[in-house]
């Protein structure tokens, strides 16, 4: 089997790939690398001087897997990561053109860094390697490799939504970006809707053709596919169960004094619908006085991208909303919203999910949303909690046992909270079983293996050099 080379903006540390320390995704991708041997390449997460950046990559060996990381200079970080990736691509791809800030210099920086990274990788490549590139930071990566004559099979998986053409057209370099995507051999999306949006763009705006999953545009041929990312439900259930008896979790249980628990966990991001969620919980307490003092919402929201202005604003908004709502409904021994702005160990999150009666997952737009799946996997089958899920999360396509909400509808979400809190055991179990069946079918291993099988199945791009011109 040919070697696998994974390229992602951030590379997991070897520790994060080992079970409970890291996220499921790191473990899943590492599993594939271990099987075929290979390289995981990307940014280390460090901002360094230009001289140091140019010395990389730093190599770390773990069995058959090499972790290869580079630092970024301050200018590259600002333009490629903070700027074009997170202040332009992220909002537009999440249908938030109102929050997007386009800066031509940052866009040029984004392309320059992609090309610089590609040239760093070339030195580590072998002719038969298959290359799997992840996410929106790296759209032009294959184009840079192709221009340097690399003919290996290269696949791309987009973890976030692909916006409909009417939204994408707002992004000034939309055509260059889609053209860059066409330099991959396989482009994978989270849902059918995302794939369809890409096909629509190809047909309506790129004079291309789409036949089934075969795309021809900009003089190139590629295939697309839908690969729903999942979790390893077993691993999560074990973590959740083991954590139940640990002190921190017992302390939380005790502090709830028999109150019902609603759990939410999200990176602090405007796409996750946190303000709308707080308002729905407020509406619920307003309409249902009998629940005041009897239910607590724990919102864990570790900060991310805090040097992007819109992220500073969302943080301020949320602090204000949590304070306002708590001011309205708190008692001497009761705080309705516990808003925790920090990162917790994974096992702790899974155990808290298991202790709770509701998993409230209400993004305004989300590629998939793994928290929704983790919540279900962590439940006790004999007495499962209820997933209340936004219809705009990719996960809504499979988690059909969830109570579905439109997160913009504050009253509707508030009603769903009430319904979930009083749902009879038999219905909770039946919904849990429906969700678990989907989780088992589309687990993380299936996602990874299906993508890699498709990528290994395409013909090597003998004419890659020619096609890139
Ligand atoms: C992108 C797409 C897509 C969160 N807080 C803590 C913590 N987490 C973990 C969760 C979960 C992960 O981070 C978040 O994954 P999501 O899928 O919910 O969301 P994004 O970060 O936006 O991910 C998304 C995903 O890529 C995969 O393709 O589903 O749509 O936006 O695993 O549990 N983990 C720990 N402490 C925390 O405080 N340990």
């Amino acid at each position: 089997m040919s070697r696998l080379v994974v390229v992602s903006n951030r590379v997991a540390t070897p520790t994060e790939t080992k079970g409970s320390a890291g996220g499921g995704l790191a473990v899943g991708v590492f599993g594939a690398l271990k099987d075929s041997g290979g390289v995981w390449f990307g940014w280390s997460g460090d901002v360094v001087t230009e001289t140091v950046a140019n010395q990389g990559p730093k190599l770390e060996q773990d069995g058959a897997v090499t972790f290869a990381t580079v630092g970024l200079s301050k200018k590259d970080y600002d333009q490629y990561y903070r700027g074009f990736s997170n202040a332009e691509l992220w909002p537009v791809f999440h249908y938030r053109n109102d929050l997007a800030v386009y800066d031509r210099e940052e866009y040029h920086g984004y392309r320059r860094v992609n090309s610089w990274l590609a040239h760093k990788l070339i030195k580590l490549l072998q002719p038969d390697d298959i290359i799997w590139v992840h996410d929106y930071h790296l759209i032009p990566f294959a184009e840079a490799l192709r221009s340097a004559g690399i003919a290996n099979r290269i696949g791309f998986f987009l973890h976030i939504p692909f916006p409909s053409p009417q939204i994408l057209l707002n992004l000034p370099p939309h055509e260059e970006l889609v053209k860059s995507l066409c330099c991959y051999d396989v482009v994978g999306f989270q849902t059918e809707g995302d794939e369809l949006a890409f096909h629509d763009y190809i047909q309506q705006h790129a004079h291309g053709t789409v036949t089934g999953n075969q795309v021809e545009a900009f003089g190139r041929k590629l295939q697309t596919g839908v690969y729903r990312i999942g979790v390893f439900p077993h691993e999560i259930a074990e973590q959740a169960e083991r954590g139940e008896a640990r002190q921190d979790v017992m302390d939380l249980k005790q502090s709830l004094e028999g109150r019902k628990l609603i759990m939410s966990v999200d990176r602090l991001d405007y796409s996750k619908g946190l303000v709308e969620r707080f308002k729905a919980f407020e509406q619920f307490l307003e309409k249902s006085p009998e629940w005041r003092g009897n239910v607590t919402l724990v919102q864990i929201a570790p900060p991310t991208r805090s040097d992007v202005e819109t992220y500073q604003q969302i943080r301020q908004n949320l602090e204000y909303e949590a304070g306002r709502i708590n001011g309205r409904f708190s008692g001497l021994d009761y705080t309705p919203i516990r808003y925790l702005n920090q990162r917790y160990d994974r096992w702790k999150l899974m155990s808290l999910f298991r202790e709770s009666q509701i998993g409230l997952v209400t993004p305004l737009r989300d590629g998939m949303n793994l928290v929704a799946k983790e919540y279900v996997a962590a439940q006790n089958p004999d007495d499962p909690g209820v997933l209340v899920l936004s219809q705009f999360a990719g996960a809504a396509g499979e988690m059909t046992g969830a109570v579905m909400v439109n997160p913009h509808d504050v009253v509707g979400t508030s009603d769903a909270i009430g319904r979930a809190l009083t749902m009879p055991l038999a219905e909770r179990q039946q919904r849990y079983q429906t969700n678990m069946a989907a989780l088992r079918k589309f687990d993380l291993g299936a996602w990874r293996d299906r993508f890699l099988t498709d990528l290994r199945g395409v013909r090597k791009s003998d004419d890659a050099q020619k096609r890139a011109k």
Side-chain angles (χ1 to χ4, degrees), residues 234-301:
H234 264 319
E235 172 224 24
I236 291 171
E238 263 172 35
Q239 283 181 359
E241 219 169 327
R242 253 188 292 133
E244 253 180 335
R246 289 167 82 160
Q247 197 57 47
D248 292 10
V249 178
M250 310 255 276
D251 289 348
L252 172 93
K253 238 166 124 172
Q254 209 175 10
S255 76
L256 286 172
E257 294 174 329
R259 292 182 189 105
K260 302 275 187 196
L261 173 62
I262 303 178
M263 278 299 302
S264 291
V265 175
D266 312 80
R267 281 185 308 98
L268 185 47
D269 192 296
Y270 49 82
S271 66
K272 304 290 183 184
L274 287 104
V275 172
E276 291 76 1
R277 183 182 307 159
F278 282 9
K279 288 190 171 154
F281 187 58
E282 176 184 27
Q283 167 80 14
F284 174 70
L285 292 178
E286 190 176 301
K287 276 205 325 196
S288 323
E290 70 281 13
W291 278 103
R292 291 180 205 162
N294 291 319
V295 60
T296 298
L297 167 62
V298 170
Q299 171 69 63
I300 293 177

Side-chain angles (χ1 to χ4, degrees), residues 32 35 132 227 444-455:
D35 289 349
W132 187 10
Y227 308 90
L444 188 61
W447 166 77
R448 174 190 77 195
D449 295 345
R450 281 191 50 236
F451 188 93
L452 290 176
T453 303
D454 285 356
L455 183 55

Side-chain angles (χ1 to χ4, degrees), residues 360-380:
L360 191 54
V361 185
T362 53
L364 304 179
R365 193 67 68 169
D366 219 325
M368 179 53 64
N369 195 301
L370 291 178
V371 170
K373 296 189 169 183
E374 290 163 352
Y375 181 80
V376 171
Q379 294 311 300
N380 173 357

